[in-house]
Amino acid sequence: VATGPTTVDPEPPQNDQTLKFNEELVRASQFISKVCRKLGRPMRTISCSQYLLFTFYAKPGSLERCPVPSDIALTCILLACKIEETFKR
C-alpha cells in the first residue's frame, strides 16, 4: 500500500482547434438537454443522447465525417428516444 502523496499527470497541451471543438461539443450537449426538456423527455433519454454524441465523436475519423457536433445532436436525440422507448405519441 502506497502511503505517499499521489501525483496527477498534467493534461496534454491542446491546440486552438481542439479547444474550439470541445466548446462546440459542450454547446451541442446543452442543445440536447434543452430540446429534450422542451419535449418532456426523462433524464435517462437526455443522458443517453449525450452519451451517443460523445461516443460518436470519440471514434477516430468522426470529426472529418461530421465536423459540427450540433448537426448530429438531433440524430442522437432520436436514437436515444428509440433506445429508451420514450416516444412522443
Side-chain angles (χ1 to χ4, degrees):
V1 176
T3 58
T6 59
T7 59
V8 178
D9 293 332
E11 292 184 20
Q14 297 179 344
N15 59 20
D16 290 337
Q17 184 181 9
T18 304
L19 292 174
K20 183 180 175 188
F21 175 72
N22 287 342
E23 290 172 3
E24 287 289 327
L25 203 56
V26 168
R27 269 192 236 118
S29 179
Q30 291 170 345
F31 171 75
I32 286 173
S33 181
K34 287 178 185 176
V35 169
C36 286
R37 286 185 182 164
K38 283 191 176 190
L39 292 174
R41 299 291 173 224
M43 191 63 194
R44 69 177 189 267
T45 303
I46 297 170
S47 300
C48 185
S49 300
Q50 292 169 338
Y51 173 78
L52 290 170
L53 179 75
F54 286 104
T55 302
F56 178 81
Y57 281 104
K59 297 188 183 216
S62 60
L63 185 57
E64 289 80 28
R65 286 189 307 246
C66 188
V68 183
S70 59
D71 288 347
I72 200 80
L74 290 174
T75 305
C76 291
I77 292 171
L78 174 69
L79 287 174
C81 287
K82 289 181 172 272
I83 290 169
E84 297 295 331
E85 296 181 354
T86 53
F87 303 109
K88 188 76 169 180
R89 296 185 196 257

